[in-house]
Every structure is written in structure tokens, then in C-alpha cells.
Amino acid sequence: MAQSSIKQNEARRKSMDNPQTTLSSSSGPLSEELQCSICLDVFTDPVSTPCGHNFCKSCLNQCWNNSQIYSCPLCKETFRRRPDLKINTTLREVVLLCREKSVQSKSEVLCDICDDIKMKALKMCLECQISYCQTHLEPHQRVPKLKKHKLINPVENLEDYICQKHEKPLELFCRDDQTCVCLLCAVTDHRNHNTVSVEEESRERKSRLMNMQTDVQQMIQDRMKRIQDLKCSVKLRKEASEKEKGESIELFTDLIRSIERCQSELLEKMEQKQKAAEKQAEELIKELQQEITELMKRVTDLDELSHTEDHLHLLQIYPSLSRPAHTSSCSEISLSDTHESVETMRKALIQLKETLNEKLNKTELKKMQRYAVDVTLDPDTAYPKLILSDDGKQVRYGDIKLELPENPKRFDTTCCVLAKEGFSSGRFYFEVQVKGKTKWDLGVAKESINRKGKITENPEHGYWTVILRNGNQYKVRESPPVSLSLGVNPQVVGVFVDYEEGLVSFYDVESRSHIYSFTGQSFTEKLYPYFSPCNKEGKNIAPLIISHVR
């Protein structure tokens, strides 16, 4: 099966390489789309430029080989570097198919009247059911009776043009039965049917085919444009990935240097403390040895006096011998310095950990902020009691329910609003100021969410949100809800979405800390930023403000 397909492709390429094989006019307007604007011939190894135009590979290379500037020969768009030309295999297959169709349409029909050397037939008579060359066609162009016969271009399968029942030309088309009929069929089997001439039906169908060809050409262009967009997207993603890789390497290099520097400082301090402790121990040992010597001398003196008969001398030196012997005030080496070193190391490690987390969070948030998008609120979705600013960047709760026209996009009982902008691919990020509020909901929602009546905010119903209640109670609308413990109340919340990765993350922008992430989600439709300033409970009068990402 594979070998047969290869042989067919080789045959197609051979027919393409034959300069005598060209597309006939039967290919219609499509043949013009398959012609190179440089050589004005059918494409040979077609390639596409970044601007979307197509040329023969050899023609375009020849143009660029003789020039220092690389531009499109058709629209004159200039490219900074010479594009890497690759054959457009889809377009090449279309050309090959059209060539095959053209070759098949060129099969010759010979004259039925010629005796010796058969000449090429010029016309075929449906009445006579005979094909004629130019010479033998002359009577049909001269004799009045023969001039009434219906002539067509020569075909090999003449029986397809003759009614097999009445042996008459198929001159009419029955629209009820969608079939060609002769005049006798029209007055018998198809008497009450809607019949028109074959020519009229053919004209209408040609018109439809022309529209179909236009649609096909547009589909080809759309797909070629899509290919270029995908290539560009891959290139941009690769460049972004390389940049992120470089920044990550730089970050961790700085962290490693910080760790090494901290380690070096700690070791140096510990070594200094150790030397000080050793010196202190040496001095203490020396002092203790001196005291031992003195004590041993006193033992000797006491032993001698205990046996003396010189009572007067004993009484004179007794006061000095009875006094306690002098001993060192430092009986042991203090460990306070060692404890101080350990405590210093512990504090340094805690500080290093905090620095590491701060740098990581700062880098992560900075990376998210690269995908910032311009978001504006959609008044067509807003709950009637919500008041939107003229620039579409602020929303707050109002006391009066506005009389608004019925709109299937509008939330009718829930105090919320969506953004105008929806996203069905890639990554996007936006920030919302929540300062001064005691209650709010933020996140994203899919396009098909229920907007009428009571809604349920969780991923199963198309919502990915974080909420605040009672001024300090933060929750994630999971199933069931998840409570969050935040060190500080966020004043500005950042929302990041990676559509392909199925990720929705929330950040405290000012403290540059991560709040929560929905992971492993599966997105299949557009996602819209979702906002709810909630009602005026207590002091909850401040608006939600879509911030400019710094």
C-alpha cells in the first residue's frame, strides 16, 4: 500500500517536471492561483514567504541570489534576514492533482468518418452519435437540417449523453429527480416535474462551483496563514523560553553566591570563636597549674607546722595559713560563644531562606506580568445594580437597580460582571485593586456559564475564583471550598492563566507572594476575567479597579 502511494507520488512529480504538461482552462480560476507570479507558469516546488505569498522555489532563490535585499516580489515587503524556504507540501499536492486532472481532460477523440489516417475530432453530434473532424463537420455547418443537430465537444463516453431508453440526446435536466432526461422522457415519465435545459442547469452549477472554488482557495490561504502563525508562535515561545532560562540561571547564580558568601562568613566567625575559646582555655589551664603549685607548697608547710615544737612561730603564721587558698574565678570554659555562633548561623539561614523566597516570588511574578493584557468591563454582562466607570476599569455596587434591556449575556441575580476580552489560547495576566474592600470575588469564567438565577462558583460550573468575606476570611471556590491563611491582606491581586497548561494562579502583587493556583484544569472554550465587588455590607463601598500592570 505504501509502495503504491510512493509510486503515485513519483508519477505525479514526473508529470510536474514535464514542461509540456500545463493546466488547461478546465481548471478555471483555480489555475491562476497555482501560477508563479515570477515565471508566470504553474508552481514547481512551491514555497511561501513570511508575508504569505507563493512562488517557485527556484524562481525566488534566483531573485534573491542576485540581490542584497530580501523582499517579496509581489508585495515588496522586506525581510531583515533571508527566510529559510521550505516546500509547501499541501500546495504542491494541489498542483499535482490539478495537473492530473488537466492530463485526463486532454485525452483525444478521433473522427469516426476518416478512413486511413484518423484525424482529431472537433465536434460530436448527439443526433448522429458520430464524432467529426474539421473536414467531415462541414455538412453540419452548411446543411440547414444538419445545422439543427446538437453538437458538443468530443467525449469518449458518448453513451453518457444519450438516453438509453429513447436513444435521444439528454437535453433536459429534471430538478425533482436530479437527473438528465431527453425530450421524450420529459413528456412521459417526468411530465409534471420541474425540468430545465441542460445548459441552464449547468450555468447555475458552474456558478456554485465558482463559489466553492473561491471558498477552497480561501481555505487554502487560511491554512497557510495558520501555518505561518503557528511557526511564528513557536518561534516567539522559544525566544521567551530562552529568556526565562537565562533569567533563572542568573537568579540561581546570585543565590549560590549569596549562600557561599554567607557560609564563608559563618565559618570565619566560628573559627574566630573557636580560637578565642582555645586561648581562654590555655590561660585557665596555666592559672590552674599555678594554683596547684601554691596549694602543694601550703600542704608542705602545714605538714611541717603540724610537727613543730616552736609554738610561738605556729601562732604567728597561723592566721595566714588559715585563710582560704587563692583559686581562679573561672572554673570552666564558657559555652556562650558557641551558642552565639549557632544562633547566628540559624538567623542567617532564616534570612537566606527569606531572601530566596523573595527573589523567587519576585522573579515568578515578573515572568507572569510579561503576559499582561488590557482588560475592560463589559456592560452587557453587568448585574443591573452595578455601576461601571466610563473607561470600563472600575465597578462598584449601587443601591438602585437599573432598567436595562434583556440580554442573554447579563447576570440577572448575581452581583458580578465579565470583561469584554475573552481568551482561548496562550497566557494572559491582569491585576485588580481590592484596597478598602471587605468582600469581593475575582478570577476567570468560561463563556458558557449560567448567567441567570443563582450561580455556583466552582470549576465544575466553569468558575475559577478566590473570594474575600468579612474583611479577613479568604477562600478558594473549589469543591468543597478551601480556606486560605494569608499573612497580610492583599491590596492588589494579580490573576495569571496558562490556557494550554490548565493553570489559574493568584498573587499578592505588593508582597509578591503566591496566594493559590488551580492546576490540571482542562479548558475547551473562551475564558473571561470575572469580577464581583459584592454588595454594601458594612464598609464594602470601595470599587474594584483594574490596575495598570507596572
Side-chain angles (χ1 to χ4, degrees), residues 265-328:
E265 291 174 356
L266 286 172
L267 291 175
E268 185 178 353
K269 287 182 180 179
M270 291 180 70
E271 188 175 351
Q272 291 174 354
K273 297 293 184 182
Q274 179 64 25
K275 288 181 179 179
E278 290 176 356
K279 184 178 180 181
Q280 181 185 7
E282 289 176 359
E283 292 175 353
L284 179 59
I285 290 170
K286 184 177 180 181
E287 186 176 346
L288 289 172
Q289 286 175 341
Q290 184 177 354
E291 289 179 2
I292 290 171
T293 301
E294 292 177 358
L295 289 171
M296 290 179 68
K297 182 177 181 302
R298 174 169 290 201
V299 168
T300 302
D301 292 344
L302 290 171
D303 184 60
E304 290 178 355
L305 288 173
S306 65
H307 296 90
T308 184
E309 295 296 331
D310 189 349
H311 304 294
L312 182 61
H313 178 67
L314 174 63
L315 293 173
Q316 290 175 341
I317 65 171
Y318 179 81
S320 62
L321 291 174
S322 62
R323 285 196 299 269
H326 170 74
T327 57
S328 174

Coordinates of all heavy atoms in Angstrom, one line a residue, residues 265-328:
E265 N 31.3 33.6 55.7 CA 31.2 34.5 56.8 C 31.0 33.7 58.1 O 31.6 34.0 59.1 CB 30.1 35.6 56.6 CG 30.5 36.5 55.5 CD 29.3 37.5 55.2 OE1 28.3 37.3 55.8 OE2 29.5 38.4 54.4
L266 N 30.1 32.8 58.1 CA 29.8 32.0 59.2 C 31.0 31.1 59.7 O 31.3 31.0 60.9 CB 28.6 31.0 59.0 CG 27.2 31.7 58.9 CD1 26.1 30.7 58.4 CD2 26.8 32.3 60.2
L267 N 31.6 30.5 58.7 CA 32.8 29.7 59.0 C 33.9 30.5 59.6 O 34.6 30.1 60.6 CB 33.3 28.9 57.8 CG 32.3 27.8 57.2 CD1 32.9 27.3 55.9 CD2 32.2 26.7 58.3
E268 N 34.1 31.7 59.1 CA 35.1 32.6 59.6 C 34.8 33.0 61.0 O 35.7 33.0 61.9 CB 35.2 33.9 58.7 CG 36.3 34.8 59.1 CD 36.4 36.0 58.2 OE1 35.7 36.0 57.2 OE2 37.2 36.9 58.5
K269 N 33.5 33.4 61.3 CA 33.1 33.7 62.7 C 33.3 32.6 63.6 O 33.8 32.7 64.8 CB 31.7 34.2 62.7 CG 31.5 35.6 62.1 CD 30.0 36.0 62.1 CE 29.8 37.4 61.5 NZ 28.4 37.8 61.6
M270 N 32.9 31.4 63.2 CA 33.0 30.2 64.0 C 34.5 29.9 64.3 O 34.9 29.5 65.4 CB 32.4 29.0 63.4 CG 30.8 29.1 63.3 SD 30.1 27.7 62.5 CE 30.4 26.4 63.8
E271 N 35.4 30.1 63.3 CA 36.8 29.9 63.5 C 37.4 30.9 64.5 O 38.2 30.5 65.4 CB 37.5 30.0 62.2 CG 39.0 29.6 62.3 CD 39.7 29.6 60.9 OE1 38.9 29.7 59.9 OE2 40.9 29.4 60.8
Q272 N 36.9 32.1 64.4 CA 37.4 33.1 65.4 C 36.9 32.8 66.8 O 37.7 32.9 67.7 CB 36.9 34.5 64.9 CG 37.5 35.0 63.7 CD 36.8 36.3 63.2 OE1 35.8 36.8 63.8 NE2 37.4 36.9 62.2
K273 N 35.7 32.4 66.9 CA 35.2 32.0 68.2 C 35.9 30.8 68.8 O 36.2 30.7 70.0 CB 33.7 31.6 68.1 CG 32.8 32.8 67.7 CD 32.8 33.9 68.7 CE 31.8 35.0 68.3 NZ 31.8 36.1 69.3
Q274 N 36.3 29.8 67.9 CA 37.0 28.7 68.4 C 38.4 29.0 68.9 O 38.8 28.5 69.9 CB 37.1 27.7 67.2 CG 37.9 26.4 67.5 CD 37.2 25.5 68.6 OE1 36.0 25.6 68.7 NE2 38.0 24.7 69.3
K275 N 39.1 29.9 68.1 CA 40.4 30.4 68.6 C 40.3 31.1 69.9 O 41.2 30.9 70.8 CB 41.0 31.2 67.5 CG 41.4 30.5 66.2 CD 42.1 31.4 65.2 CE 42.5 30.7 64.0 NZ 43.1 31.6 63.0
A276 N 39.3 31.9 70.0 CA 39.1 32.7 71.3 C 38.9 31.7 72.5 O 39.4 31.9 73.6 CB 38.0 33.6 71.2
A277 N 38.1 30.7 72.2 CA 37.8 29.7 73.2 C 39.1 28.9 73.6 O 39.3 28.6 74.8 CB 36.7 28.7 72.8
E278 N 39.9 28.5 72.6 CA 41.1 27.8 72.9 C 42.1 28.7 73.7 O 42.8 28.2 74.6 CB 41.8 27.4 71.5 CG 41.0 26.3 70.8 CD 41.6 26.0 69.4 OE1 42.6 26.7 69.1 OE2 41.1 25.1 68.8
K279 N 42.2 30.0 73.4 CA 43.1 30.9 74.1 C 42.6 31.0 75.5 O 43.4 31.0 76.5 CB 43.1 32.2 73.4 CG 44.1 33.2 74.1 CD 44.1 34.5 73.3 CE 45.1 35.5 74.0 NZ 45.1 36.8 73.3
Q280 N 41.3 31.1 75.7 CA 40.8 31.2 77.1 C 41.1 30.0 77.9 O 41.4 30.0 79.1 CB 39.2 31.4 77.0 CG 38.6 31.6 78.3 CD 37.1 31.7 78.2 OE1 36.5 31.5 77.1 NE2 36.4 31.9 79.3
A281 N 41.0 28.8 77.2 CA 41.3 27.5 77.9 C 42.7 27.4 78.3 O 43.1 27.0 79.4 CB 40.9 26.3 77.0
E282 N 43.6 27.9 77.4 CA 45.0 27.8 77.7 C 45.4 28.7 78.9 O 46.1 28.3 79.8 CB 45.8 28.3 76.5 CG 45.8 27.3 75.3 CD 46.5 27.9 74.1 OE1 47.0 29.0 74.2 OE2 46.6 27.2 73.1
E283 N 44.8 29.9 79.0 CA 45.0 30.8 80.1 C 44.5 30.2 81.4 O 45.1 30.3 82.5 CB 44.4 32.2 79.8 CG 45.0 32.9 78.7 CD 44.3 34.2 78.4 OE1 43.2 34.4 79.0 OE2 44.8 35.0 77.6
L284 N 43.3 29.6 81.3 CA 42.7 29.0 82.5 C 43.6 27.8 83.0 O 43.8 27.6 84.2 CB 41.3 28.5 82.2 CG 40.6 27.8 83.3 CD1 40.4 28.7 84.6 CD2 39.2 27.4 82.9
I285 N 44.1 27.0 82.1 CA 44.9 25.8 82.5 C 46.2 26.3 83.1 O 46.6 25.8 84.2 CB 45.3 25.0 81.2 CG1 44.0 24.3 80.7 CG2 46.4 24.0 81.5 CD1 44.2 23.6 79.4
K286 N 46.8 27.4 82.6 CA 48.0 28.0 83.2 C 47.8 28.5 84.6 O 48.6 28.2 85.5 CB 48.5 29.1 82.3 CG 49.9 29.7 82.7 CD 50.3 30.7 81.7 CE 51.6 31.3 82.2 NZ 52.1 32.4 81.2
E287 N 46.6 29.2 84.8 CA 46.3 29.7 86.1 C 46.0 28.6 87.1 O 46.5 28.7 88.3 CB 45.1 30.6 85.9 CG 44.7 31.3 87.2 CD 43.5 32.3 87.0 OE1 43.2 32.5 85.8 OE2 42.9 32.7 88.0
L288 N 45.3 27.5 86.6 CA 45.0 26.4 87.5 C 46.3 25.7 87.9 O 46.5 25.2 89.1 CB 44.1 25.4 86.8 CG 42.6 26.0 86.7 CD1 41.8 25.0 85.8 CD2 42.0 26.2 88.0
Q289 N 47.2 25.5 87.0 CA 48.5 24.9 87.3 C 49.3 25.7 88.3 O 49.9 25.1 89.2 CB 49.4 24.7 86.0 CG 48.8 23.6 85.1 CD 49.6 23.6 83.8 OE1 50.3 24.6 83.4 NE2 49.5 22.5 83.1
Q290 N 49.3 27.0 88.2 CA 49.9 27.8 89.2 C 49.3 27.7 90.6 O 50.0 27.6 91.6 CB 49.9 29.3 88.8 CG 50.7 30.2 89.7 CD 50.6 31.7 89.2 OE1 50.1 31.9 88.1 NE2 51.2 32.6 90.0
E291 N 48.0 27.6 90.6 CA 47.3 27.4 91.9 C 47.6 26.1 92.5 O 47.7 25.9 93.8 CB 45.8 27.5 91.7 CG 45.3 28.9 91.4 CD 43.8 29.0 91.1 OE1 43.1 27.9 91.2 OE2 43.3 30.1 90.8
I292 N 47.7 25.0 91.7 CA 48.1 23.7 92.2 C 49.5 23.7 92.9 O 49.7 23.2 93.9 CB 48.1 22.7 91.0 CG1 46.6 22.4 90.6 CG2 48.7 21.4 91.5 CD1 46.5 21.6 89.3
T293 N 50.4 24.5 92.2 CA 51.8 24.6 92.8 C 51.7 25.2 94.2 O 52.3 24.8 95.1 CB 52.7 25.4 91.8 OG1 52.7 24.7 90.6 CG2 54.1 25.5 92.4
E294 N 50.9 26.3 94.3 CA 50.8 27.1 95.5 C 50.2 26.2 96.6 O 50.6 26.2 97.8 CB 50.0 28.3 95.3 CG 50.7 29.4 94.5 CD 49.9 30.6 94.2 OE1 48.7 30.6 94.7 OE2 50.4 31.6 93.6
L295 N 49.2 25.4 96.2 CA 48.5 24.6 97.1 C 49.4 23.4 97.6 O 49.3 23.1 98.8 CB 47.2 24.0 96.5 CG 46.1 25.0 96.3 CD1 45.0 24.4 95.4 CD2 45.5 25.5 97.6
M296 N 50.2 22.9 96.7 CA 51.1 21.9 97.1 C 52.1 22.4 98.2 O 52.5 21.7 99.1 CB 51.8 21.3 95.9 CG 50.9 20.5 95.0 SD 51.7 19.8 93.6 CE 52.8 18.6 94.4
K297 N 52.6 23.7 98.0 CA 53.5 24.3 98.9 C 52.8 24.5 100.3 O 53.4 24.2 101.3 CB 54.0 25.6 98.3 CG 55.0 26.4 99.2 CD 55.4 27.6 98.5 CE 56.5 28.3 99.4 NZ 56.0 28.7 100.7
R298 N 51.6 24.9 100.3 CA 50.8 25.0 101.5 C 50.7 23.7 102.2 O 50.8 23.6 103.5 CB 49.5 25.7 101.2 CG 48.6 25.8 102.5 CD 47.4 26.6 102.3 NE 47.7 28.0 102.1 CZ 46.8 29.0 102.3 NH1 45.6 28.7 102.6 NH2 47.2 30.2 102.2
V299 N 50.5 22.6 101.5 CA 50.4 21.3 102.1 C 51.7 21.0 102.8 O 51.7 20.4 104.0 CB 50.0 20.2 101.0 CG1 50.2 18.8 101.6 CG2 48.6 20.4 100.5
T300 N 52.8 21.3 102.2 CA 54.1 21.0 102.8 C 54.3 21.8 104.1 O 54.7 21.3 105.1 CB 55.2 21.3 101.8 OG1 55.0 20.6 100.6 CG2 56.6 21.0 102.4
D301 N 53.9 23.1 104.0 CA 54.1 24.0 105.2 C 53.2 23.5 106.3 O 53.6 23.5 107.5 CB 53.7 25.4 104.8 CG 54.7 26.0 103.8 OD1 55.8 25.5 103.7 OD2 54.3 27.1 103.2
L302 N 52.0 23.1 106.0 CA 51.0 22.6 107.0 C 51.6 21.4 107.7 O 51.4 21.1 108.9 CB 49.6 22.4 106.4 CG 48.9 23.7 106.0 CD1 47.6 23.3 105.3 CD2 48.5 24.5 107.3
D303 N 52.2 20.5 106.8 CA 52.7 19.2 107.4 C 53.8 19.5 108.4 O 53.9 18.9 109.4 CB 53.1 18.4 106.2 CG 53.6 17.0 106.7 OD1 52.8 16.3 107.3 OD2 54.8 16.7 106.5
E304 N 54.7 20.5 108.0 CA 55.8 20.8 108.9 C 55.4 21.4 110.2 O 55.9 21.1 111.3 CB 56.8 21.8 108.1 CG 57.5 21.1 107.0 CD 58.4 22.1 106.3 OE1 58.4 23.3 106.6 OE2 59.1 21.7 105.3
L305 N 54.4 22.3 110.1 CA 53.9 23.0 111.3 C 53.2 22.1 112.2 O 53.1 22.3 113.4 CB 53.1 24.2 110.9 CG 53.8 25.4 110.3 CD1 52.8 26.4 109.8 CD2 54.8 26.0 111.3
S306 N 52.6 21.1 111.6 CA 51.8 20.1 112.5 C 52.8 19.3 113.4 O 52.3 18.7 114.4 CB 51.0 19.2 111.6 OG 51.8 18.4 110.8
H307 N 54.1 19.3 113.1 CA 55.0 18.5 113.9 C 56.0 19.5 114.6 O 57.0 19.0 115.2 CB 55.8 17.6 113.0 CG 55.0 16.5 112.4 ND1 54.4 16.7 111.1 CD2 54.6 15.3 112.8 CE1 53.7 15.6 110.8 NE2 53.8 14.7 111.8
T308 N 55.8 20.8 114.5 CA 56.8 21.7 115.1 C 56.5 21.8 116.6 O 55.4 21.7 117.1 CB 56.7 23.1 114.5 OG1 57.7 23.9 115.0 CG2 55.4 23.7 114.7
E309 N 57.6 22.1 117.4 CA 57.5 22.4 118.8 C 57.7 23.9 119.1 O 57.6 24.3 120.2 CB 58.7 21.6 119.5 CG 58.5 20.1 119.4 CD 57.3 19.6 120.1 OE1 56.8 20.2 121.1 OE2 56.7 18.5 119.6
D310 N 57.9 24.7 117.9 CA 58.0 26.1 118.1 C 56.6 26.7 118.1 O 56.0 27.1 117.1 CB 58.8 26.7 116.9 CG 59.2 28.1 117.1 OD1 58.6 28.8 118.0 OD2 59.9 28.7 116.3
H311 N 56.0 26.8 119.3 CA 54.6 27.2 119.5 C 54.4 28.6 119.1 O 53.4 29.0 118.6 CB 54.2 26.9 120.9 CG 54.4 25.5 121.3 ND1 53.7 24.4 120.8 CD2 55.2 24.9 122.2 CE1 54.0 23.3 121.3 NE2 55.0 23.5 122.2
L312 N 55.5 29.4 119.5 CA 55.4 30.9 119.2 C 55.3 31.1 117.7 O 54.5 31.9 117.2 CB 56.5 31.6 119.8 CG 56.5 33.1 119.6 CD1 55.3 33.7 120.3 CD2 57.8 33.8 120.2
H313 N 56.1 30.4 116.9 CA 56.1 30.6 115.4 C 54.8 30.1 114.8 O 54.3 30.7 113.9 CB 57.3 29.8 114.8 CG 57.4 29.8 113.3 ND1 57.6 31.0 112.7 CD2 57.2 28.8 112.4 CE1 57.6 30.7 111.4 NE2 57.3 29.4 111.2
L314 N 54.3 29.0 115.4 CA 53.0 28.5 114.9 C 51.9 29.5 115.0 O 51.1 29.7 114.1 CB 52.7 27.2 115.6 CG 51.3 26.6 115.3 CD1 51.2 26.2 113.8 CD2 51.0 25.4 116.2
L315 N 51.9 30.1 116.2 CA 50.8 31.1 116.5 C 51.0 32.3 115.6 O 50.0 33.0 115.2 CB 50.8 31.5 118.0 CG 50.4 30.4 118.9 CD1 50.7 30.9 120.4 CD2 49.0 30.0 118.7
Q316 N 52.2 32.7 115.2 CA 52.4 33.9 114.4 C 52.0 33.7 113.0 O 51.5 34.6 112.3 CB 53.9 34.3 114.5 CG 54.4 34.8 115.8 CD 55.8 35.1 115.9 OE1 56.6 34.6 115.1 NE2 56.3 35.9 116.9
I317 N 52.2 32.5 112.4 CA 51.9 32.3 110.9 C 50.5 31.6 110.7 O 50.0 31.4 109.6 CB 52.9 31.4 110.2 CG1 53.0 30.0 110.8 CG2 54.3 32.1 110.3 CD1 53.9 29.1 110.0
Y318 N 49.9 31.2 111.8 CA 48.6 30.5 111.7 C 47.5 31.3 111.0 O 46.8 30.8 110.1 CB 48.1 30.1 113.1 CG 46.8 29.4 113.1 CD1 46.7 28.0 112.8 CD2 45.6 30.1 113.3 CE1 45.5 27.4 112.7 CE2 44.4 29.5 113.3 CZ 44.3 28.1 113.0 OH 43.1 27.5 112.9
P319 N 47.4 32.7 111.3 CA 46.4 33.4 110.6 C 46.5 33.4 109.1 O 45.5 33.3 108.3 CB 46.6 34.9 111.1 CG 47.2 34.7 112.4 CD 48.1 33.5 112.3
S320 N 47.8 33.4 108.6 CA 48.0 33.4 107.1 C 47.7 32.0 106.5 O 47.2 31.9 105.4 CB 49.4 33.9 106.7 OG 50.3 32.9 107.3
L321 N 48.0 31.0 107.3 CA 47.7 29.6 106.8 C 46.2 29.3 106.9 O 45.8 28.4 106.1 CB 48.6 28.6 107.5 CG 50.1 28.7 107.3 CD1 50.8 27.7 108.2 CD2 50.4 28.4 105.9
S322 N 45.5 29.9 107.8 CA 44.1 29.5 108.0 C 43.2 30.2 106.9 O 42.1 29.8 106.8 CB 43.7 29.9 109.4 OG 43.8 31.3 109.6
R323 N 43.7 31.2 106.3 CA 42.9 31.9 105.2 C 42.7 30.9 104.0 O 43.7 30.2 103.7 CB 43.6 33.2 104.7 CG 43.4 34.3 105.7 CD 43.8 35.6 105.1 NE 45.1 35.6 104.6 CZ 46.2 36.1 105.3 NH1 46.0 36.5 106.5 NH2 47.4 36.1 104.7
P324 N 41.6 30.9 103.3 CA 41.4 30.1 102.2 C 42.4 30.3 101.1 O 42.8 31.5 100.9 CB 40.0 30.4 101.7 CG 39.3 31.1 102.8 CD 40.4 31.7 103.6
A325 N 42.8 29.2 100.5 CA 43.8 29.4 99.4 C 43.2 30.1 98.2 O 42.0 30.0 97.9 CB 44.3 28.0 99.0
H326 N 44.0 30.9 97.5 CA 43.5 31.7 96.3 C 43.2 30.7 95.1 O 44.1 29.9 94.8 CB 44.6 32.7 95.9 CG 44.2 33.3 94.5 ND1 43.2 34.3 94.4 CD2 44.8 33.1 93.3 CE1 43.2 34.6 93.1 NE2 44.1 33.9 92.5
T327 N 42.0 30.8 94.6 CA 41.7 29.9 93.4 C 41.1 30.8 92.3 O 40.6 31.9 92.5 CB 40.6 28.9 93.8 OG1 39.4 29.6 94.3 CG2 41.1 27.9 94.9
S328 N 41.2 30.2 91.1 CA 40.7 31.0 89.9 C 39.2 31.3 90.0 O 38.5 30.4 90.4 CB 41.1 30.2 88.6 OG 40.5 30.9 87.5

